[in-house]
Amino acid sequence: SSSKTAFVTHPDADIATTTKYVEWQIPLADFANVSLSRVKVLYIGLGDRENPTPGGLGRMYIDSIGLGK
């Protein structure tokens, strides 16, 4: 509600090119400036947010996005 955002980047820059299932757990501390009870939108993206490159090709499967303590 106050336009706060947080961005989390996977530590392996090549993770999107793997053909294996990879679980990625992100600590809630990475969202310290965001009130988790007020989240309204979640975006998931691939690539460089600062220097986007159009025309990518491939598949990304996402399952079980959850929040836990």
Side-chain angles (χ1 to χ4, degrees), residues 6-61:
F7 298 97
V8 180
T9 303
H10 196 280
D12 180 358
D14 295 323
I15 195 67
T17 62
T18 186
T19 58
K20 298 183 282 182
Y21 176 84
V22 177
E23 180 180 34
W24 181 22
Q25 294 186 8
I26 304 169
L28 293 179
D30 289 357
F31 301 99
N33 68 329
V34 175
S35 175
L36 297 176
S37 65
R38 303 185 87 176
V39 172
K40 299 203 188 262
V41 177
L42 170 70
Y43 295 101
I44 299 174
L46 293 173
D48 185 348
R49 187 176 65 251
E50 301 297 324
N51 187 22
T53 305
L57 180 65
R59 289 191 178 127
M60 183 171 84
Y61 296 98

